[in-house]
Structure formats: structure tokens, C-alpha cells
Amino acid sequence: MYLTGEEEKMYQGEYGETIKKSMEILVALGDIYQAERLVNITSAQVSGVSYKTIGDAGLEYLEDLARDTQARTRVASTLNPAGVDLEKWEELGFSPEFTTQQHRIVEAYGKMDVMTTCTCTPYLIGNVPLKGSHIAWSESSAVAYANSILGAMSNREGGPGALAAAICGKTACYGYHLPENRKSDLVVELECEIQGTDYGALGYLVGQTVKEGKPYFKLKNRPLNDNLKGLGAALASSGAVALYHIEGITPEYKDALPEEADDTLFVDRNNLEEVKEKLSTTSLKPDLVCLGCPHASLEEIRKVAEILKGKKLKNDLWLCTSINMKTAADRMGYTKIIEQSGGRLVFDTCMVVAPIEELDYEVIGVDSAKAANYVPSMCGLEVVFDEIENLLDLD
Ligand code: F3S
């Protein structure tokens, strides 16, 4: 792979051990994927944060890195959700042992100037790359959003790769960084209008079908931004979709239609209902409802507050979001309404990366296909996938 003079110096260790190691990661990735060069990035988004997923080995690796004063990010870099709500962890029932380790991980990232925002929706809190800009993001749902809705260019980076890119301000130029690799390979035509959990079900169905492909959707009705958040998350979890296009909606759709578009997947109401049924593992009522996968927008929080206003919840509710949205929800009075009904706004974490299996819950209710896909395997709990109104048990 070609390196500029400056990159060569970074690679040879002239700027310290951490930059050298980070360049080695980028060059190794470039070699594997036959990149011809590196490309400058404008932002990074780093996963590998929850103590539940990275454990002591990950913690030690990060603390080692953070000791080197050269290990500082060169571009705006935000962090994925952690394993606990960093402030209300005790109230939610998380152990001090887990939380101590979790705080150490977040602090290590903070020392490296990764902004400890702890959210999977960085695009809702100011990490908003422009169309055509190169970025290195690692949360799969956020990568799908950045590529598809914003028109930025990112591969699905692993946590260490995204951190290396953040430290070097560069990433290997292959895959979705090349315009020729951003065209669709399958048309998906909807035969019915969709809303609510239909988007997640559609994403789950198509992700399973196309795997790493790039679907081109022809929808019958216009989606909301929050619908697309859920669609991309589902596409990226049942498959490995990092980029999709929607006719008339997403920024690159005009150049994305496959020329030999003889392959079309038609999706009707029955297909979506079948997926929804499959995503629930039980017909029992959820004892905990977890919303906000990906992390809730302020509008989603507002809608939940509207449903709950003046009512009492019989099951527990976590509405997962970023600290930024939580702060805005406090100001708008939404937090108070949700708490008065017995629910909670939970920030920094989510139902999948938190050790929720250590709490006393058996059935988790979710309106996200990604969460429905992961809760049984990552938490070992039963899951019910349904619309918010059906999940909430209200007095
Ligand atoms: Fe975000 Fe957790 Fe879902 S990281 S996308 S809320 S599984």
C-alpha cells in the first residue's frame, strides 16, 4: 500500500509507539482488503465499550494505550454505549464491581480524547459527517445511517480499527470509500405501506436475504427519520448491510440502481407479519419494556411521554437514549412524565450491552428488530417484539 512521507514516519514510529501500532492496524487492514492507499477521515465512532463485551482484556488494552500521551484522537470521535447508565447504575440494579470496571474503560477512552458520549446515534448529537466525507465508524447501525442517509463513506470498522483510525486521522481506502462500490445489487419493492415495527421487520427480512449486499428500496410511503434509524439497525444485524438506498429519499439513490435490475425481492404484508412473529420468542407479557434501539431521538421520547401521560405502568420501562437527549427531555418535561408513570429514561447504555441478565427480568419487550434479534443470544432472556402501545401494560 502506498504511504505518503508523513504516513511513513507515523508507521516507522517517529511519533511514538501508539501511533506506530495504530498505523500497523490500518496498514494490515489495507493489505487484507487490497487498499491502494490511506484516506483522511473527518470523524470516528468507536465501539468496544461495554465491560460485558470487552472484559478485562479489553480494559487493560485501553488503559495501556491511554498511558501514552501520543494516543490522542486527531478527528472528532464519539463513543458507543457502555454497559451501564454511568450515573443511575445503582438505582437500576447494576453491581459496583461491574460499574467500577466500566468507568475505567470510559475514562481510558476519555484520556484519548474520544468523547464519552456513549451513544449509538452519534448523528443525533453532533457527529454528523457531510455527504462524500470519509469516516471510520464502528457501530453497525450508525454506519448504515451514515452511509445511507447522510451519504458519508464508512466501512463497518471493528472497535480497534476505528480507534486506530481516530488516532491517526486516517483509514484504509477500500470498500465503501470507493464510489464504484456503493451501487445497489438488489431491488426490494414494497407491495404495501409500512409504519412502526414494519420497518424493523423489513430490515430484518432483507438483511437476512442480502447479507453484505446493498439493497435498493422502492417504498410505497415516505418514512420518518426515526423509521430509517430502525430499518438500518435491523439490516445491519440480521445481515451485514452497511449501505442501502431508498428511491426518492436517500442522497445517492439516483446513481445506485443496478443496471441489470432483473433481481427484485417483492415484500408484502404477510412477509412482514411472518418476520414479526418469528422475532418474538414467547407470548408471555414482558416484565421489562426496553425502547430506544438505536438510542431514542427527542421525538421518540416525546411520543412515549404522550402515551404515558397521566397513566401508571404495571411493567418496568427503560427508554434508552444518549445523555444529550436525556438533558433535552428533562427541559421539555418528558422525563418527568415518564418517571411519574413509573418508567425511566436510561442513558449511556442499552438493553443489549448492559448485563441485563443479572437483573430479575425474564421477558423483555422491544419495538426494535435489532434488539429482538440480540436480546435472546446476548442476554439469554425471552423477547417480545411488538408496537410500543402493545408492550406497555398501562393502568
Ligand atoms: Fe444501540 Fe444497543 Fe441497539 S448499541 S443499536 S441500542 S443494541
Side-chain angles (χ1 to χ4, degrees):
M1 185 165 64
Y2 167 77
L3 296 182
T4 64
E6 177 67 4
E7 290 165 355
E8 193 64 47
K9 283 187 196 169
M10 293 164 78
Y11 187 64
Q12 294 303 336
E14 286 195 29
Y15 299 105
E17 200 49 32
T18 300
I19 290 178
K20 179 179 190 299
K21 274 192 202 149
S22 301
M23 280 296 278
E24 283 170 359
I25 292 175
L26 300 184
V27 170
L29 281 170
D31 283 345
I32 291 168
Y33 293 104
Q34 296 167 348
E36 289 179 3
R37 62 187 176 92
L38 296 176
V39 67
N40 290 334
I41 57 168
T42 57
S43 86
Q45 194 268 345
V46 182
S47 65
V49 188
S50 171
Y51 180 61
K52 170 172 162 176
T53 54
I54 69 168
D56 288 318
L59 165 61
E60 278 161 33
Y61 172 76
L62 291 167
E63 286 189 334
D64 269 355
L65 272 185
R67 267 183 218 111
D68 180 353
T69 51
Q70 301 289 334
R72 298 291 174 268
T73 60
R74 293 188 176 201
V75 292
S77 305
T78 52
L79 201 58
N80 224 30
V84 294
D85 180 320
L86 295 168
E87 292 178 22
K88 286 190 302 183
W89 58 271
E90 202 165 9
E91 215 178 288
L92 292 165
F94 295 115
S95 74
E97 295 75 24
F98 184 97
T99 306
T100 303
Q101 303 301 77
Q102 186 59 71
H103 271 117
R104 284 173 59 187
I105 291 169
V106 172
E107 273 161 31
Y109 276 119
K111 279 190 187 149
M112 291 185 269
D113 283 341
V114 180
M115 293 175 225
T116 55
T117 45
C118 298
T119 183
C120 50
T121 53
Y123 46 87
L124 296 181
I125 62 154
N127 189 354
V128 192
L130 298 177
K131 181 171 184 284
S133 55
H134 296 277
I135 59 174
W137 286 21
S138 51
E139 158 55 39
S140 65
S141 66
V143 171
Y145 190 96
N147 273 325
S148 315
I149 313 304
L150 302 177
M153 304 167 106
S154 181
N155 288 318
R156 278 170 61 121
E157 302 278 357
L163 183 58
I167 288 170
C168 296
K170 297 167 186 296
T171 194
C173 190
Y174 67 91
Y176 295 105
H177 293 285
L178 303 170
E180 62 269 29
N181 292 336
R182 297 177 65 86
K183 294 196 186 310
S184 283
D185 34 33
L186 175 76
V187 174
V188 180
E189 191 159 343
L190 269 288
E191 294 184 325
C192 57
E193 293 204 351
I194 55 173
Q195 57 178 334
T197 56
D198 292 340
Y199 284 93
L202 174 64
Y204 186 87
L205 173 69
V206 174
Q208 260 190 336
T209 310
V210 302
K211 311 277 190 279
E212 291 179 357
K214 292 155 281 181
Y216 181 102
F217 290 97
K218 293 183 176 182
L219 300 182
K220 281 222 174 301
N221 55 307
R222 280 187 80 80
L224 298 172
N225 200 27
D226 290 327
N227 300 140
L228 299 179
K229 193 159 72 71
L231 172 67
L235 282 164
S237 73
S238 65
V241 174
L243 170 65
Y244 63 93
H245 304 283
I246 305 180
E247 195 162 85
I249 305 270
T250 56
E252 295 171 70
Y253 86 90
K254 280 187 183 152
D255 301 320
L257 198 59
E259 271 154 33
E260 59 297 337
D262 46 316
D263 220 6
T264 298
L265 174 70
F266 292 95
V267 177
D268 62 20
R269 174 59 42 204
N270 286 340
N271 302 134
L272 296 175
E273 295 308 322
E274 266 172 38
V275 174
K276 289 185 194 179
E277 221 170 283
K278 234 175 53 186
L279 279 170
S280 291
T281 62
T282 178
S283 53
L284 293 171
K285 275 191 176 179
D287 41 9
L288 171 67
V289 176
C290 288
L291 309 175
C293 171
H295 272 174
S297 67
L298 193 57
E299 173 62 5
E300 288 174 308
I301 298 172
R302 187 191 68 76
K303 285 182 180 164
V304 173
E306 204 172 273
I307 297 171
L308 295 179
K309 198 167 188 175
K311 306 205 174 93
K312 284 278 174 227
L313 275 163
K314 287 195 259 177
N315 44 11
D316 285 355
L317 165 68
W318 288 9
L319 176 47
C320 301
T321 190
S322 62
I323 186 157
N324 308 58
M325 293 305 138
K326 156 78 168 59
T327 307
D330 289 351
R331 173 177 286 181
M332 292 301 296
Y334 305 150
T335 310
K336 199 167 170 200
I337 295 171
I338 291 167
E339 286 179 353
Q340 278 173 344
S341 75
R344 296 172 193 273
L345 269 190
V346 170
F347 53 97
D348 299 324
T349 189
C350 81
M351 63 301 274
V352 171
V353 298
I356 209 167
E357 60 280 10
E358 289 173 11
L359 310 179
D360 267 347
Y361 296 112
E362 280 167 18
V363 182
I364 310 296
V366 298
D367 68 335
S368 154
K370 174 175 177 175
N373 191 16
Y374 286 153
V375 163
S377 59
M378 297 247 329
C379 309
L381 299 170
E382 302 283 353
V383 75
V384 177
F385 174 65
D386 208 338
E387 303 296 338
I388 297 175
E389 290 83 350
N390 300 334
L391 296 171
L392 298 174
D393 197 359
L394 292 170
D395 238 352

